[in-house]
Amino acid sequence: WALEDYGFRVIVAPSYADIFFNNCFKNGLLPVRLSESDVDWLFDQVNAFTGFELVVDLPAQEVRTVDGSRSFAFEVDPFRKECLLGGLDEIGLTLKHADAIRDYESRRLVEQPWLATTLAG
C-alpha cells in the first residue's frame, strides 16, 4: 500500500519474493520482471540522465524508452493483466457477479428455508 500511496504503478526488477509479487497485483501494482542485464542497463540510464523516463505498455507487455530506441518484453498472467487493465481487485471481481449472487441467495432461501433462521442467531 505504501508504494501505491507514493504513486508507484509499476516496479521493475529481476525477481520478487512470491508473497510480495502476488500482493502487488492485489493492490493494483504491476511487478515487471526483466533480466538482470536489462535492469542494470536501466539503472545506468537513470544514473546518466536526470529525469530518465520509461513507457510501460501493459497491453503490449513491453517496457520501452520514450523515444522507442530500446524495448523490453515482459510476461504477465492473462487473468492478472485483465484485472489490472480493468481496475479490478478481488472485491471488484466478486461484484461483477452481484446479480448471480443475489439470485443464488434468493433461490437458496426458497429451497432451504431452514437456513434463514441460522443466520439470525
Side-chain angles (χ1 to χ4, degrees), residues 4 7 13-15 17 23 30 47 53 79 86 94-95 101 105 107:
E4 183 182 18
S15 66
N23 284 341
L30 175 61
N47 288 327
E53 295 182 16
F79 175 74
T94 302
L95 291 176
I101 293 168
E105 290 296 330
R107 278 192 325 276

Side-chain angles (χ1 to χ4, degrees), residues 3-4 11-12 18 24 28-29 33 35 41 43 48 50 73 98 100 118:
L3 294 170
E4 183 182 18
I11 300 174
V12 177
D18 288 339
C24 282
L29 191 64
R33 288 183 180 142
S35 71
W41 184 87
F43 271 112
T50 302
T118 63

Side-chain angles (χ1 to χ4, degrees), residues 21-99:
F21 184 79
N22 290 318
N23 284 341
C24 282
F25 289 102
K26 291 180 181 188
N27 290 294
L29 191 64
L30 175 61
V32 172
R33 288 183 180 142
L34 296 179
S35 71
E36 284 193 43
S37 61
D38 290 342
V39 172
D40 287 344
W41 184 87
L42 292 172
F43 271 112
D44 290 343
Q45 299 308 298
V46 168
N47 288 327
F49 304 103
T50 302
F52 179 75
E53 295 182 16
L54 291 170
V55 174
V56 178
D57 186 339
L58 178 55
Q61 293 179 213
E62 179 181 76
V63 175
R64 63 181 172 269
T65 57
V66 173
D67 65 5
S69 63
R70 187 101 187 244
S71 65
F72 311 91
F74 64 88
E75 295 296 319
V76 62
D77 175 79
F79 175 74
R80 288 178 162 172
K81 178 180 177 178
E82 178 186 334
C83 289
L84 286 173
L85 289 172
L88 297 171
D89 60 7
E90 292 171 344
I91 294 170
L93 285 168
T94 302
L95 291 176
K96 284 178 66 174
H97 305 285
D99 292 339

